[in-house]
Amino acid sequence: MALSLSGVILPKLIQQRAFSVSSAVAAVQKLTRVRVVDNSALGNAHHHRPPKVIHVYTKNGIGKVGDRVLLAIKGQKKKALIVGHKMPGARMTPRFDSNNVVLIEENGNPTGTRIKAPIPTHLRKMEGEYSKLLAIAQRFV
Amino acid sequence: MAAACTSRTRQMMGLLRILRNFSQNERLLSTSVLRHNVASDGPPKFTPPSKPVIIDKTQKEASLRRFLSPEFIPPRQRTNPVKFSIERKDMIQRRKVLNIPEFYAGSILAVTMTDPHVNGNMNRFVGICIQRSGKGLGATFILRNVVDGQGVEICYELYSPRMRKIEVLKLEKRLDDNLMYLRDALPEYSTFNFDMQPVHYEITGDVPVNLLKVKMRPKPWSKRWERPKFNIKGIRFDLCLTPEMMEHAQKWAEPWRPYDMLKEYDTSSLEDHIFKEVQENLRK
C-alpha cells in the first residue's frame, strides 16, 4: 500500500506518485503534512520535506478550521492557523482538497502579505484576533 | 384571416414570450394559463388552426418530463409510514416557498445561501453536483468546484432555511450517479466558471446524458475506483490501469449481489403514488 518516500522514478509503464496518501482521519493532528497557502518566503521555499504539524493548540489533539498549530518548516518551528482541511465539517461549510495553513507570528499577525487560496467565511467569527489575516485574504468561499 | 383571429394570435405570441422566459416555473404556469385562454375562446367561431394551437399541444402535461426528487422516496425501514407522510408535507410546504428545480449528479448548479459572515448576507457558489444523498428533510447534495487551483466541495441541505436560491446552470446526467471520483481526476474536469451563463434545457423529453470519460491523476486514489463495488463507467481506465490490474480488481466482484432477494426494493408503485401526491399538493 505505502510506496517509497524517495523521489526515485519507478521503472513501470504507469507512473505512480512517490509518497503514500491515506484518507482524512481526524482533520489536522500531529505529523500531518500541510500546505502553506500564503505568499511568505518560509512557506514557499522549497524543502526536501513538506511542512509537518508537531503540536495542535487544542484540548484534544485535533485541529479544525481556526485552530492554531505548531509547524516544523525548513528545520525551524513556526506557528500557523488552519484555514481548511480535507475532513468534511459542518453541513454548509466548505471542504477543501488539501489541508491548508497560514503562517502566523506569536501575536496572531500573518507572516505573508497575501492569501491567494479560498478561505471559509465562518473564519470571520474570529474578527478580533485574526483581523489582519482576514484582511489579506483575497477570496472567501 | 378575420380581425379577431390576429388579435388573439398577438395575445398568444405575447404570452408565449413570457412563458419561454419562465423556464423553471413552466410546469406550474403553462398548462393553467393556456387552458384559461382556450376556454375563453368560446364555441361560436371556427378558426383555422394557426401557430398557437400547435404550441399548445407541446405544452400538455403528458409530454412534460416526470421527475420525482429522490429524497421523497422513503427508505425501506421499520418506521411508521406516518412519519414519511408528515415529512413529505413539510417538504412540500418548503417547496412552495423555495423553488427546488430538477437536477441530477453531473448537473452544474449555482446556489445562493444566507451567510451572516458575508457583507451582503448572500453567499453564491457554483459547482457540479457530485452526489445527492439523504432522504426527507435532511436531503443534501454536494457541489464541487476548483477555485484558484484549490478544490472546494460544499455539502448543501436542500431544505435548510438558509438556502435562498438554487439555479440549474446546466442540466445533464453523467454515466454514474456518484461522481466522487472527480476528486482523483484531473482538475480540469471539476473547474467551472462562477460567471457561467445558464444553458437552456428542454422540459420535455429525456435529460441529456454526458458520455464524458474522465482522465485520472496517477494512483494512489482516495478510493479504489476500479473495483466492481463502485461500478464506475465514467473513468478512462485504459489510460491509467493495465489489463492485469483490471482483472485483479475483478477478484472483489460479488456476482451474487443482483440475485440477493433480501436487498430487493421495488419503488415503482410507491413512486407513482408519491408523485401524484406531491403534484396535487404543490398545485394547492
Side-chain angles (χ1 to χ4, degrees):
Chain A
M1 239 199 292
L3 302 170
S4 63
L5 282 169
S6 63
V8 171
I9 300 168
L10 301 163
K12 277 191 191 165
L13 278 169
I14 289 109
Q15 189 93 20
Q16 288 175 310
R17 271 191 272 187
F19 51 87
S20 70
V21 170
S22 53
S23 58
V25 171
V28 173
Q29 47 181 328
K30 282 192 187 181
L31 296 189
T32 313
R33 285 161 301 190
V34 289
R35 176 184 161 211
V36 176
V37 135
D38 57 9
N39 67 345
S40 56
L42 194 57
N44 292 9
H46 183 72
H47 199 57
H48 62 250
R49 294 154 128 193
K52 275 196 199 160
V53 174
I54 50 179
H55 191 263
V56 182
Y57 294 103
T58 52
K59 291 290 176 181
N60 51 5
I62 296 173
K64 306 273 181 176
V65 174
D67 292 334
R68 275 200 192 200
V69 293
L70 186 62
L71 296 188
I73 307 184
K74 290 202 65 132
Q76 31 177 300
K77 295 183 277 196
K78 189 85 180 163
K79 287 232 172 99
L81 184 80
I82 302 175
V83 291
H85 49 72
K86 269 180 115 169
M87 178 167 166
R91 233 17 38 108
M92 307 278 245
T93 55
R95 183 204 86 99
F96 298 88
D97 275 1
S98 59
N99 298 317
N100 296 342
V101 119
V102 171
L103 294 181
I104 230 171
E105 307 294 331
E106 294 298 324
N107 50 14
N109 290 350
T111 314
T113 51
R114 238 187 302 250
I115 302 175
K116 199 166 177 250
I119 306 263
T121 48
H122 64 96
L123 208 56
R124 275 204 197 269
K125 263 194 307 205
M126 22 201 82
E127 195 71 63
E129 244 192 295
Y130 301 114
S131 50
K132 292 210 183 104
L133 196 135
L134 296 167
I136 65 171
Q138 287 189 330
R139 191 135 186 181
F140 283 92
V141 149
Chain B
M1 282 283 187
C5 177
T6 50
S7 69
R8 181 63 67 204
T9 48
R10 228 181 293 126
Q11 275 180 35
M12 295 298 273
M13 293 305 285
L15 265 166
L16 288 164
R17 224 172 283 131
I18 298 166
L19 285 172
R20 258 188 227 122
N21 288 336
F22 289 148
S23 56
Q24 280 175 348
N25 294 325
E26 242 167 330
R27 210 177 289 157
L28 295 173
L29 279 183
S30 62
T31 51
S32 52
V33 171
L34 285 168
R35 245 189 246 138
H36 168 77
N37 270 315
V38 168
S40 65
D41 240 346
K45 267 206 177 124
F46 166 72
T47 49
S50 51
K51 259 189 189 171
V53 178
I54 294 167
I55 293 170
D56 183 22
K57 277 188 194 157
T58 57
Q59 300 295 348
K60 240 196 277 184
E61 250 186 272
S63 63
L64 285 173
R65 187 167 46 231
R66 252 180 79 122
F67 174 71
L68 181 65
S69 218
E71 70 265 6
F72 277 108
I73 303 161
R76 192 179 61 159
Q77 278 178 354
R78 283 182 62 186
T79 53
N80 203 337
V82 174
K83 180 234 182 188
F84 298 125
S85 58
I86 295 173
E87 214 174 15
R88 242 174 286 143
K89 262 169 91 177
D90 285 337
M91 284 155 79
I92 293 166
Q93 191 77 5
R94 177 69 185 155
R95 275 184 184 243
K96 285 187 185 159
V97 179
L98 169 73
N99 172 38
I100 297 173
E102 161 190 11
F103 67 97
Y104 306 88
S107 319
I108 300 167
L109 305 188
V111 169
T112 316
M113 69 167 180
T114 50
D115 201 338
H117 306 295
V118 169
N119 281 338
N121 278 349
M122 296 293 184
N123 193 355
R124 186 171 183 263
F125 188 76
V126 170
I128 183 170
C129 174
I130 58 175
Q131 178 185 270
R132 279 190 84 159
S133 62
K135 301 284 178 200
L137 286 167
T140 58
F141 63 98
I142 305 183
L143 288 190
R144 180 182 166 80
N145 203 342
V146 173
V147 174
D148 289 342
Q150 170 77 54
V152 184
E153 291 175 9
I154 308 189
C155 182
Y156 288 105
E157 291 173 315
L158 275 172
Y159 296 96
S160 168
R162 280 174 68 184
M163 300 288 270
R164 278 307 172 87
K165 199 168 165 202
I166 306 174
E167 329 163 39
V168 176
L169 298 178
K170 189 170 189 195
L171 180 74
E172 64 177 9
K173 277 195 200 181
R174 294 276 209 122
L175 291 167
D176 314 291
D177 274 335
N178 204 310
L179 301 172
M180 286 296 196
Y181 57 82
L182 287 179
R183 290 177 184 168
D184 300 313
L186 297 172
E188 66 197 42
Y189 296 103
S190 314
T191 9
F192 299 98
N193 193 358
F194 264 58
D195 310 313
M196 187 170 152
Q197 293 304 309
V199 168
H200 172 75
Y201 57 89
E202 302 292 317
I203 53 163
T204 58
D206 291 319
V207 180
V209 181
N210 191 351
L211 303 166
L212 177 67
K213 289 211 168 197
V214 139
K215 293 191 192 142
M216 302 292 276
R217 284 209 219 105
K219 270 203 155 201
W221 298 329
S222 56
K223 293 256 186 286
R224 294 168 206 258
W225 302 115
E226 73 276 9
R227 295 221 173 148
K229 123 174 181 196
F230 296 109
N231 192 21
I232 289 179
K233 302 185 184 68
I235 297 182
R236 286 217 57 186
F237 287 119
D238 51 327
L239 291 177
C240 45
L241 297 177
T242 58
E244 290 88 43
M245 289 159 103
M246 292 302 290
E247 260 184 60
H248 180 70
Q250 291 303 315
K251 273 196 190 170
W252 282 268
E254 294 172 325
W256 58 85
R257 278 272 174 261
Y259 305 102
D260 194 342
M261 293 190 353
L262 285 182
K263 292 214 190 282
E264 276 175 13
Y265 185 34
D266 185 23
T267 53
S268 40
S269 54
L270 204 60
E271 255 189 69
D272 283 334
H273 180 76
I274 295 173
F275 181 73
K276 287 194 189 100
E277 185 188 327
V278 168
Q279 287 293 87
E280 67 173 85
N281 280 324
L282 268 177
R283 240 175 260 149
K284 283 186 194 162

